[in-house]
């Protein structure tokens, strides 16, 4: 540690800083009391329903349908009919224009969607406004351009759509995951039935209004809501392809369910990414990368940098800088523009985080949490760092999916690779060093689908995303993201 | 007086060596006693394949291409023997040509399957194909040689190491190929070949937690149970063609890795 750093450590903690609240108005969002399933361009009155809530206040927002097997079947039939009666025969250039329209409407209504996303999911408005919405619109814009160029993406392979795609998405990036699923499926000429996550259905339901404005033919996109039972029904239904983003356990169950059926499957599952900091890294940038890696979206990120691997020689300054930076994170109202860390998405998720954090303490790791006042209602968890973590601890092995960082150390690059790869997952990894040859060497040796070097948690529609090993298979994004939605001669 | 020929013992090929089955069993196929591999032999073969993966996948693509070409050279030298173990000289020639064809792919995959991605921000971003790891291959029952080569070559050219369950009724071509591989600069463990009962070996390979992908091209109809076992560690399941050559056959055994780096001064 330098003299300056020692001095800074004694400086008053920045959490003493006071901010005036800067809430984004929720006026812009008009919610209906209840929502049905969106099937064949119409709202289908659900047989069963449940309440979706605002996780920051636990207040109910609307009644949502819990799709039955029969309702899922109706949605799949509507998608099949739309596929056979027009959509698959539509020239790619026309499909493209629908997708461009959707992208534009999303851009036009982006603030409305951003507020709704934060309201229903608990994520900070700064993130839904600056990350989720621009990326969702960009995804439609990107794949729109592919719709009439498929034969250039796959020369000599005569790409054809598969038919009906059943798509199941998680609650961490509800609208963005919808865009990741629907945009390439439609560009390739398929129709879809999409099931948003149980806790975050509202942006997908509002998206149906975007489809109305874009005048997308009825049945091309169908939305059914509900919990895992609705997802299971969709997997078993007469769909030609299943795309799932979610937990590794559910992914395995889906893969087992589809065994022997010949249905196409892509899985984007869990992760336990290593974020590797070498002693020659630009430390302040690296600390920002660590923070962004694990506290972005409350750590509800499958590719979160949840295992920090620090080279021993810089362990102390990194931890001290990290703790100081942690004190500046503002936890609270997702709709406040100052908020860095919003609400945990659900009570169930909060309980899972609490359980794993307890296990970390019991197994012998040292916990650090900055002083932090949490709102009285809603689901919250203080950004947490564990040091003294052994590789065998559950907090170093299992995906926590919350704002909890486990810190491990290494001495040599080989040891860093060994530890980083010591997981059944392989979704992403981070590397921080100023040495170019070391970046490329690490990028080669880390067994993960996305490597962020001197950055973290970057996403782009042109950039393929997906896992190695038990983090799943198939890619989303880029030219590669089209392939799972096509068949070839 | 005519000379009594020296017969060959047909053994397994694991980690570059030729052991008998640890179970001491054989079965009779094509008029010969052939090693009948056990579950333990499968596990040993997977361990050998995992051990070889780092070296093989770490070689330059140019180098891997040369090793594949060397396999073709060694096969060419044994054309007569191979012809005895398959449908004849035509199949042998096609098999050799197929290995040559795949050899040429080693250093072209990244250019055909990878990409440079124009992300909306100051980042350099590219995607490269990488081998998925250890691949379990159920070789097609026939064509005995061409089917085997058509499945093994695309898996190894991309840098994977493989554990092959040879055709149960026609295993001799596979044993002959093992002898070629042992003398063709292929590092020990990159290709491991087991002979025996498919029904006994396939589930062990499908359920093995250190196998990353499963090629069920040679499974006899009922693949559902194998696919269920494969889901235990999210294996990539490939249903390939017994007589096809295509870069997409290679792609089934590849992962895509995307790397980001900021652009700045």
């Amino acid at each position: 540690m330098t003299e300056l750093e020692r001095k800074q450590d004694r400086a008053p903690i920045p959490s003493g800083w006071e901010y005036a609240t800067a809430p984004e108005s929720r006026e812009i969002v008009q919610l209906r009391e209840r929502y049905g399933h969106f099937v064949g361009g119409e709202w289908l009155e659900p047989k069963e329903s449940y309440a979706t809530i605002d996780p920051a206040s636990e207040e109910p927002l609307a009644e949502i349908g819990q799709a039955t097997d029969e309702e899922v079947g109706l949605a799949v039939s509507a998608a099949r009919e739309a596929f056979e009666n027009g959509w698959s025969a539509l020239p790619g250039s026309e499909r493209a224009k629908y997708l461009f329209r959707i992208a534009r409407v999303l851009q036009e209504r982006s603030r409305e969607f951003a507020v709704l996303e934060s309201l229903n999911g608990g994520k900070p408005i700064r993130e839904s406004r600056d990350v989720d919405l621009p990326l969702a619109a960009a995804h439609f814009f990107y794949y729109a351009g592919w719709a009439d160029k498929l034969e250039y993406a796959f020369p000599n392979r005569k790409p054809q759509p598969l038919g009906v795609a059943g798509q199941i998405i998680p609650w961490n990036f509800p609208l963005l995951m919808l865009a990741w699923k629907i945009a390439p499926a439609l560009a390739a000429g398929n129709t879809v039935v999409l099931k948003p996550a149980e806790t975050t259905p509202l942006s997908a339901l509002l998206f149906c209004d975007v489809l109305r404005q874009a005048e997308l033919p009825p049945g091309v996109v169908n939305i059914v809501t509900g919990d895992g039972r609705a997802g299971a029904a969709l997997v078993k239904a007469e769909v030609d392809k299943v795309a799932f983003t979610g937990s590794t356990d559910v992914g395995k169950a889906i893969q087992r369910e589809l065994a022997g059926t010949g249905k196409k499957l892509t899985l984007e599952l869990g992760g336990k990414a290593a974020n590797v900091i070498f002693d020659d890294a630009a430390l302040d940038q690296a600390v920002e990368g660590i923070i962004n890696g694990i506290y972005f979206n409350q750590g509800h990120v499958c590719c979160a940098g949840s295992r920090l691997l620090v080279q021993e020689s810089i362990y102390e300054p990194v931890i001290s800088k990290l703790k100081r930076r942690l004190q500046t994170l503002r936890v609270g109202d997702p709709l406040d523009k100052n908020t860095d860390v919003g609400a945990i998405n659900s009570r169930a998720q909060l309980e899972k985080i609490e359980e794993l954090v307890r296990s970390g303490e019991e197994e012998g790791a040292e916990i650090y949490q900055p002083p932090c006042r949490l709102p009285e209602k809603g689901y919250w968890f203080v950004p947490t760092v564990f040091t003294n973590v052994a590789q065998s601890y559950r907090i170093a092995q299992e995906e926590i999916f919350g704002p909890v960082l486990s810190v491990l150390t290494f001495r040599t690059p080989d040891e860093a690779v060994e530890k980083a790869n010591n997981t059944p997952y392989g979704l992403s990894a981070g590397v921080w060093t100023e040495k170019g040859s070391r970046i490329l060497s690490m990028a080669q040796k880390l067994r993960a689908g996305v490597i962020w070097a001197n950055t973290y948690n970057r996403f782009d529609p042109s950039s393929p995303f997906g896992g190695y090993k038990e983090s799943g298979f198939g890619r989303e994004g880029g030219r590669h993201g089209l392939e799972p939605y096509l068949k070839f001669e | 007086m005519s000379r009594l020929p020296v017969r060959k013992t047909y053994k397994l090929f694991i980690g570059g060596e030729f052991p008998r089955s640890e179970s001491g069993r054989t079965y009779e196929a094509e008029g010969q006693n052939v090693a009948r591999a056990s579950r333990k032999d499968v596990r040993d073969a997977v361990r050998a394949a995992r051990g070889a993966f780092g070296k093989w996948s770490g070689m330059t693509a140019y180098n891997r291409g040369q090793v594949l070409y060397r396999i073709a050279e060694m096969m060419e030298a044994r054309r007569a023997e191979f012809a005895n173990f398959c449908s004849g000289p035509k199949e042998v020639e096609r098999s050799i040509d197929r290995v040559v064809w795949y050899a040429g792919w080693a250093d072209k995959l990244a250019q055909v399957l990878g990409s440079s991605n124009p992300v909306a921000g100051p980042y350099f971003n590219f995607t490269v194909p990488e081998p998925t790891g250890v691949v379990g291959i159920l070789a097609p029952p026939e064509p005995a040689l061409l089917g085997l080569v058509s499945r093994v070559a695309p898996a190894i050219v991309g840098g994977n190491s493989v554990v092959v369950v040879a055709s149960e009724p026609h295993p001799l071509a596979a044993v002959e190929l093992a002898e070629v591989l042992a003398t063709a600069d292929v590092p020990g463990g990159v290709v491991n070949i087991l002979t025996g009962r498919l029904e006994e070996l396939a589930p062990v390979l499908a359920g093995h937690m250190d196998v990353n992908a499963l090629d069920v091209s040679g499974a006899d109809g009922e693949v559902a149970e194998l696919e269920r076992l494969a889901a235990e560690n999210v294996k990539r399941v490939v249903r390939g063609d017994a007589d096809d050559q295509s870069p997409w056959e290679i792609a089934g055994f590849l992962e895509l890795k995307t790397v980001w780096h900021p652009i700045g001064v």
Side-chain angles (χ1 to χ4, degrees):
Chain A
M1 242 195 305
T2 65
E3 191 55 37
L4 180 66
E5 279 169 332
R6 257 192 290 278
K7 272 186 194 153
Q8 281 175 343
D9 223 17
R10 288 199 297 270
I13 57 164
S15 56
W17 299 344
E18 287 300 328
Y19 287 76
T21 56
E24 180 71 42
S25 167
R26 55 181 281 187
E27 292 289 294
I28 194 169
V29 173
Q30 303 293 324
L31 288 175
R32 303 195 334 226
E33 266 180 37
R34 46 189 293 117
Y35 290 86
H37 309 295
F38 189 69
V39 175
E42 314 248 317
W43 290 102
L44 180 69
E45 188 62 29
K47 289 205 179 66
E48 300 167 28
S49 65
Y50 68 99
T52 188
I53 65 163
D54 170 2
S57 68
E58 301 175 60
E59 276 165 21
L61 295 170
E63 278 291 305
I64 302 298
Q66 165 66 45
T68 61
D69 292 7
E70 192 196 341
E71 288 164 340
V72 170
L74 289 173
V76 173
S77 303
R80 177 75 57 198
E81 201 180 313
F83 178 75
E84 283 166 3
N85 301 337
W87 185 251
S88 61
L90 204 63
S93 55
E94 298 299 297
R95 289 202 309 273
K97 285 191 280 186
Y98 280 115
L99 290 169
F100 280 125
R101 277 189 187 177
I102 293 171
R104 276 290 190 251
V105 178
L106 277 178
Q107 288 173 332
E108 287 156 6
R109 299 177 69 173
S110 66
R111 189 56 55 92
E112 181 186 1
F113 271 99
V115 171
L116 181 60
E117 204 71 323
S118 287
L119 201 57
N120 196 198
K123 66 170 61 198
I125 184 71
R126 200 160 43 79
E127 291 176 10
S128 45
R129 183 194 63 198
D130 298 347
V131 179
D132 295 58
L133 260 295
L135 277 176
H139 228 82
F140 279 101
F141 204 91
Y142 175 82
Y143 278 107
W146 270 127
D148 55 357
K149 301 171 189 69
L150 298 175
E151 57 270 42
Y152 299 99
F154 305 98
N156 302 320
R157 296 185 76 191
K158 298 192 175 66
Q160 297 294 322
L162 298 168
V164 178
Q167 306 179 315
I168 301 167
I169 58 172
W171 43 259
N172 54 348
F173 296 92
L175 187 75
L176 183 57
M177 290 300 104
L178 173 149
W180 280 30
K181 292 285 180 288
I182 292 182
L186 297 195
N190 304 279
T191 58
V192 308
V193 177
L194 177 131
K195 188 197 86 69
E198 175 191 4
T199 57
T200 55
L202 291 177
S203 55
L205 293 166
L206 183 62
F207 180 75
C208 299
D209 200 49
V210 173
L211 300 176
R212 178 188 63 81
Q213 292 184 324
E215 295 172 3
L216 191 76
V220 172
V221 171
N222 305 273
I223 310 276
V224 293
T225 53
D227 61 16
R229 290 170 293 170
L234 184 53
V235 169
K236 287 177 195 161
E238 293 288 315
V239 293
D240 303 290
K241 191 233 157 42
V242 173
F244 171 76
T245 298
S247 74
T248 289
D249 281 349
V250 173
K252 288 178 181 178
I254 292 174
Q255 193 180 358
R256 272 193 291 271
E257 179 65 37
L258 294 184
T261 64
K263 282 182 196 170
K264 269 212 174 192
L265 174 65
T266 40
L267 298 172
E268 203 270 87
L269 309 177
K272 191 74 192 177
N275 201 358
V276 184
I277 320 289
F278 283 97
D279 59 6
D280 66 345
L283 282 198
D284 290 315
Q285 287 174 32
V287 168
E288 287 310 303
I290 298 166
I291 294 281
N292 177 45
I294 185 63
Y295 303 116
F296 175 62
N297 200 33
Q298 297 75 249
H300 298 330
V301 184
C302 45
C303 50
S306 53
R307 282 184 301 150
L308 178 64
L309 290 177
V310 187
Q311 197 153 22
E312 257 182 33
S313 50
I314 52 159
Y315 176 77
E316 305 234 319
V318 166
I319 296 303
S320 125
K321 280 170 186 284
L322 183 60
K323 286 180 176 174
R324 201 180 317 136
R325 180 67 177 85
L326 220 59
Q327 291 161 4
T328 69
L329 288 179
R330 304 190 64 84
V331 185
D333 182 6
L335 288 179
D336 189 324
K337 282 170 269 195
N338 294 319
T339 295
D340 297 304
V341 178
I344 299 302
N345 184 265
S346 66
R347 179 178 295 283
Q349 186 57 31
L350 180 60
E351 284 168 0
K352 188 188 156 195
I353 295 168
E354 289 170 342
E355 198 260 320
L356 274 159
V357 166
R358 262 198 310 280
S359 84
E361 290 183 281
E362 282 163 13
E363 287 189 287
E366 195 175 306
I367 189 169
Y368 174 79
Q369 293 177 320
C372 191
R373 254 195 319 258
L374 298 178
E376 283 173 14
K377 289 182 76 181
Y379 313 130
W380 309 94
F381 201 83
V382 181
T384 300
V385 173
F386 274 114
T387 50
N388 267 332
V389 179
Q391 286 190 83
S392 59
Y393 291 177
R394 286 181 64 200
I395 53 169
Q397 289 287 330
E398 296 178 31
E399 185 177 42
I400 300 173
F401 224 65
V404 181
L405 180 67
S406 299
V407 184
L408 298 99
T409 60
F410 68 92
R411 289 184 181 176
T412 63
D414 283 347
E415 190 189 348
V417 169
E418 185 79 29
K419 284 184 167 168
N421 289 340
N422 182 18
T423 163
Y425 296 115
L427 188 52
S428 59
V431 187
W432 297 81
T433 166
E434 291 296 282
K435 191 175 175 188
S437 57
R438 181 177 284 162
I439 287 173
L440 294 174
S441 155
M442 290 297 290
Q444 267 183 353
K445 289 173 186 159
L446 293 168
R447 301 286 293 161
V450 183
I451 309 293
W452 284 295
N454 291 328
T455 185
Y456 208 93
N457 271 345
R458 300 289 155 199
F459 308 94
D460 191 273
S462 71
S463 176
F465 183 95
Y468 282 34
K469 301 193 281 184
E470 293 190 24
S471 288
F473 46 72
R475 291 293 175 269
E476 296 182 288
R479 182 193 65 198
H480 302 90
L482 288 166
E483 190 168 353
Y485 290 100
L486 292 164
K487 59 186 173 192
F488 305 97
E489 276 184 7
Chain B
M1 200 171 79
S2 71
R3 179 179 170 274
L4 196 64
V6 179
R7 283 189 186 163
K8 183 155 80 181
T9 313
Y10 289 90
K11 298 198 285 187
L12 307 175
F13 184 51
I14 299 175
E17 298 183 340
F18 291 92
R20 293 184 172 83
S21 169
E22 62 80 35
S23 67
R25 302 174 305 175
T26 59
Y27 75 109
E28 199 177 324
E30 302 181 276
Q32 302 291 337
N33 289 323
V34 180
R36 183 180 159 192
S38 67
R39 287 185 294 179
K40 174 73 161 60
D41 292 320
V42 173
R43 291 196 292 267
D44 289 346
V46 171
R47 193 174 304 120
R50 178 60 64 192
F53 176 66
K55 182 179 180 188
W56 181 240
S57 62
M59 279 165 75
T60 64
Y62 174 51
N63 224 334
R64 268 203 305 276
Q66 288 186 89
V67 172
L68 260 84
Y69 186 76
R70 179 77 176 157
I71 295 174
E73 289 179 349
M74 295 295 103
M75 288 175 78
E76 186 82 15
R78 289 183 179 233
R79 283 168 68 177
E81 285 89 338
F82 273 118
N84 294 329
F85 301 138
C86 66
S87 64
K90 269 268 170 296
E91 186 181 335
V92 178
E93 284 161 14
R94 292 187 64 213
S95 300
I96 295 169
D97 290 353
R98 183 147 298 170
V99 174
V100 172
W101 191 82
Y102 274 114
W105 267 109
D107 50 8
K108 290 147 196 88
L109 289 169
Q111 288 175 322
V112 172
L113 303 177
S115 60
S116 169
N117 311 309
V119 296
Y123 297 92
F124 180 53
N125 177 302
F126 61 94
T127 299
V128 286
E130 287 193 345
T132 197
V134 174
V135 177
I137 297 177
L138 310 179
E142 50 196 10
L145 181 62
L146 187 61
L148 178 70
V149 163
S150 298
R151 301 318 308 157
V152 171
I156 63 173
V157 70
N160 296 287
S161 49
V162 302
V163 175
V164 186
V165 179
S167 164
E168 183 176 326
H170 306 291
L172 300 189
V175 181
E176 188 74 22
L177 186 69
E179 289 160 15
V180 161
L181 296 168
T183 55
D185 304 331
V186 182
V190 170
V191 179
N192 304 275
I193 297 180
L194 304 174
T195 50
R197 302 289 187 211
L198 184 68
E199 193 185 40
E200 181 185 1
L201 303 177
V204 185
L205 203 49
H208 198 295
M209 293 297 278
D210 204 26
V211 172
N212 300 98
L214 183 70
D215 181 339
V216 295
S217 306
D220 45 357
E222 191 44 48
V223 294
E225 182 53 28
L226 294 178
E227 288 193 38
R228 264 191 290 278
L229 289 165
E232 202 47 51
N233 65 336
V234 197
K235 283 185 189 69
R236 290 84 175 109
V237 179
V238 174
R239 279 176 223 82
D241 200 298
D243 180 9
D244 188 17
Q245 57 182 35
S246 140
W248 320 117
E249 297 287 352
I250 309 173
F253 305 111
L254 298 175
E255 304 288 333
L256 290 158
K257 175 182 276 179
T258 299
V259 182
W260 293 67
H261 194 276
I263 296 171
V265 287

